[in-house]
């Protein structure tokens, strides 16, 4: 990760962090401790202000980002009870080719090897959905499968292939 640092005369310091795909996170730290958070689509793009943080809020957010309270697993090396399978929560985009189909019509299991274990729709959760359960835009699907199966499912969701 590349981080650029520059003095901002009369204000404090500016940090720009390359986050991938030419996007940058910009943090301006004021002398009084206030932080302003911006997003830039690229190195030459105008910055879009996202929000301000007080000094205390910035420290608390940094603690979360640092992982002081919770350390995620390294799924490449973790021994999990599902073996090679992992569980992902995936939102169905409005433009998904399988939106409006049933699980049977979309042939999720047959085409990807993944299993839809639950569907969250608004405030309702459909656990262990049957083959006639509809897939609708905005649904959160709980999908179980290997990394390869998850990638195949994501492709099916985005392209219908």
């Amino acid at each position: 990760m590349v981080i650029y640092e520059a003095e901002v005369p009369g204000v404090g310091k500016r940090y720009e962090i390359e986050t991938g795909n030419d996007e940058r996170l910009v943090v301006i730290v004021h002398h009084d401790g206030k932080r302003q958070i911006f997003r830039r689509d690229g190195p030459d793009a105008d910055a879009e202000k996202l929000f301000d943080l007080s000094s205390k809020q910035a420290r608390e957010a940094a603690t979360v980002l640092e992982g002081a309270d919770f350390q995620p697993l390294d799924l490449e090396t973790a021994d999990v009870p599902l073996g090679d399978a992992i569980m992902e929560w995936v939102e169905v985009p409005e433009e998904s080719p399988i939106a409006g189909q049933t699980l049977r019509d979309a042939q999720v299991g047959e085409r990807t090897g993944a299993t839809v274990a639950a569907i969250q729709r608004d405030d309702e959760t459909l656990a262990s959905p049957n083959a006639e359960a509809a897939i609708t835009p905005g649904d959160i699907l709980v999908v179980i499968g290997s990394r390869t199966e998850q990638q195949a499912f994501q492709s099916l969701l985005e392209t219908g292939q």
Side-chain angles (χ1 to χ4, degrees):
M1 177 182 323
V2 177
I3 301 175
Y4 303 94
E5 182 180 323
E7 294 287 331
V8 181
V11 177
K13 276 197 169 179
R14 182 186 77 225
Y15 299 90
E16 281 198 37
I17 305 164
E18 291 183 352
T19 60
N21 299 328
D22 275 341
E23 284 188 336
R24 293 182 178 201
L25 175 69
V26 180
V27 179
I28 297 178
V29 181
H30 292 252
H31 292 299
D32 66 0
K34 177 175 109 175
R35 272 65 162 188
Q36 292 180 302
I37 312 299
F38 297 83
R39 178 184 166 276
R40 288 177 48 169
D41 285 331
D44 299 322
D46 290 335
E48 167 194 1
K49 184 176 180 182
L50 300 176
F51 51 85
D52 292 335
L53 294 172
S54 69
S55 183
K56 181 178 188 247
Q57 291 169 324
R59 285 192 306 278
E60 290 173 359
T63 300
V64 171
L65 291 172
E66 182 182 47
D69 293 331
F70 175 76
Q71 285 293 319
L73 295 174
D74 177 0
L75 294 178
E76 299 297 327
T77 61
D79 183 24
V80 294
L82 297 173
D84 288 340
I86 56 175
M87 191 179 319
E88 294 283 348
W89 284 256
V90 182
E91 184 171 355
V92 178
E94 187 74 35
E95 65 281 356
S96 174
I98 66 170
Q101 296 182 24
T102 65
L103 291 172
R104 173 176 289 137
D105 293 339
Q107 298 179 320
V108 172
E110 295 86 349
R111 294 167 72 184
T112 69
T115 300
V116 176
I119 299 174
Q120 176 74 39
R121 184 174 296 136
D122 300 320
D123 293 333
E124 181 184 348
T125 300
L126 178 59
S128 301
N130 65 33
E132 298 308 314
I135 302 167
T136 62
D139 282 354
I140 304 294
L141 306 181
V142 179
V143 182
I144 299 175
S146 67
R147 283 181 182 73
T148 301
E149 292 166 341
Q150 292 285 356
Q151 290 168 348
F153 178 78
Q154 195 65 42
S155 178
L156 178 65
L157 191 64
E158 292 172 0
T159 68
Q161 303 296 319

